[in-house]
């Protein structure tokens, strides 16, 4: 089974990726982002570390010379946009030993309005998934996105472009088979659309993901997570 290398494994989206692949029985190497603190990092590392297939490595100690086959996940959706030049250089240097291997695939996840990365991450054959926004358990509690989602939830329409994390993973097997260089992910409306579909818009490959989780249900699940996490923290304090 392919090894998954997940950067930013203690940040929101990176953690979700690592958890998802561990649940599937894969070996996961989690790598930290350099100079970037993660909220609830100790708790996330504890949960991931309970799985014998998980190994965590600080960015400055990464060494991939023995890897011959892997899926490399780069969730830049968790990384500050104003520091991309810095991280692009660091990633290029870090991943250079893997860049010419046939059995290594590089996948990046970015905000839909982010600039294309191919010219920045020189030497890496990147496949990029662009997402308007994504939310779910383990996202920062003070996230501006979460504030906006709560405001949207009290309006009459309560419609959002944001994708609940589990709705993305429910389509992962189909998405993994796609090899377009740039894929833009959108959530369907209303809830319950059953098929992942492709629509062409100018030169973009846009995939419509079935929205299985309404905004109200997603926020309820999120609040339950925050409540459970706070109770766990109180037990150790």
């Amino acid at each position: 089974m392919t090894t998954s290398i997940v950067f930013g494994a203690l940040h929101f989206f990176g953690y979700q990726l690592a958890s998802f692949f561990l649940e599937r029985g894969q070996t996961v190497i989690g790598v930290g982002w350099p100079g970037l603190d993660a909220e609830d990092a100790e708790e996330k590392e504890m949960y991931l570390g309970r799985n014998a297939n998980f190994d965590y490595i600080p960015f400055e100690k990464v060494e991939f010379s023995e890897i011959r086959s892997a899926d490399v996940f780069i969730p830049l959706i968790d990384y500050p946009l104003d520091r991309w030049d810095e991280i692009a250089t660091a990633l290029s240097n870090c991943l250079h030993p893997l860049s010419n291997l046939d059995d290594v695939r590089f996948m990046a996840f970015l905000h839909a309005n982010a600039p294309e990365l191919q010219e920045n991450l020189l030497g890496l054959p990147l496949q990029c998934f662009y997402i308007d926004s994504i939310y779910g358990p383990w996202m920062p509690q003070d996230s501006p996105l979460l504030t906006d989602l709560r405001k949207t939830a009290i309006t009459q329409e309560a419609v959002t472009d944001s994708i609940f994390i589990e709705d993305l993973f429910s389509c992962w097997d189909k998405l993994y088979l796609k090899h377009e260089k740039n894929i833009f992910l959108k959530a369907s409306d209303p809830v319950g659309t059953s098929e992942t579909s492709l629509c062409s818009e100018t030169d973009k490959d846009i995939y419509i993901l079935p929205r299985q989780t309404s905004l109200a249900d997603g926020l309820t699940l999120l609040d339950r997570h925050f409540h459970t996490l706070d109770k766990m923290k109180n037990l150790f304090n």
Side-chain angles (χ1 to χ4, degrees):
M1 187 172 289
T2 302
T3 295
S4 293
I5 298 171
V6 180
F7 283 83
L10 300 185
H11 293 264
F12 163 56
F13 195 60
Y15 174 85
Q16 293 286 359
L17 287 168
S19 297
F20 176 68
F21 296 123
L22 286 171
E23 289 174 3
R24 291 187 152 205
Q26 294 181 224
T27 296
V28 175
I29 300 173
V31 182
W33 284 128
L36 195 63
D37 294 332
E39 184 174 289
D40 302 318
E42 290 184 8
E43 290 79 8
K44 291 171 184 169
E45 189 169 5
M46 180 186 71
Y47 277 112
L48 294 174
R50 294 185 301 181
N51 193 309
N53 289 332
F54 179 74
D55 189 23
Y56 182 77
I57 307 173
F59 190 93
E60 59 273 12
K61 295 185 178 180
V62 167
E63 207 281 316
F64 290 136
S65 61
E66 296 184 4
I67 297 290
R68 292 293 176 267
S69 175
D71 287 334
V72 180
F73 296 92
I74 309 171
L76 286 168
I77 203 167
D78 287 331
Y79 204 85
L81 182 60
D82 60 359
R83 296 177 58 184
W84 273 17
D85 288 341
E86 169 191 333
I87 195 59
T89 300
L91 282 170
S92 294
N93 294 333
C94 169
L95 295 172
H96 179 71
L98 305 180
S99 60
N100 294 318
L101 298 179
D102 292 336
D103 291 332
V104 174
R105 182 176 177 183
F106 298 92
M107 288 164 276
F109 294 84
L110 310 94
H111 288 290
N113 60 352
E116 293 189 7
L117 288 186
Q118 281 77 4
E119 294 181 1
N120 290 343
L121 296 179
L122 296 176
L124 296 182
L126 273 178
Q127 180 182 26
C128 294
F129 294 89
Y130 293 89
I131 306 171
D132 283 321
S133 58
I134 193 160
Y135 72 106
W138 296 103
M139 71 183 298
Q141 296 195 46
D142 61 353
S143 166
L145 170 61
L146 182 54
T147 300
D148 290 344
L149 290 174
R150 294 195 189 283
K151 290 178 180 178
T152 301
I154 63 176
T155 66
Q156 185 174 359
E157 293 85 5
V159 175
T160 176
D161 291 329
S162 296
I163 299 172
F164 190 68
I165 189 72
E166 293 299 333
D167 291 352
L168 171 62
F169 289 147
S170 69
C171 303
W172 179 249
D173 289 336
K174 291 182 178 180
L175 290 174
Y176 187 78
L177 296 177
K178 308 300 180 184
H179 290 274
E180 291 87 349
K181 192 173 184 180
N182 296 297
I183 296 178
F184 292 79
L185 302 178
K186 303 281 187 180
S188 68
D189 283 308
V191 172
T193 304
S194 60
E195 293 295 327
T196 308
S197 59
L198 166 67
C199 67
S200 297
E201 180 180 303
T202 64
D203 59 345
K204 294 181 179 179
D205 292 305
I206 300 178
Y207 286 84
I208 309 300
L209 306 180
R211 189 191 297 277
Q212 303 298 330
T213 308
S214 68
L215 177 57
D217 289 344
L219 290 175
T220 297
L221 292 169
L222 198 53
D223 287 336
R224 288 176 184 170
H225 162 77
F226 289 144
H227 179 68
T228 301
L229 183 60
D230 288 341
K231 286 177 63 177
M232 184 184 72
K233 289 179 178 179
N234 291 333
L235 288 175
F236 289 98
N237 291 334

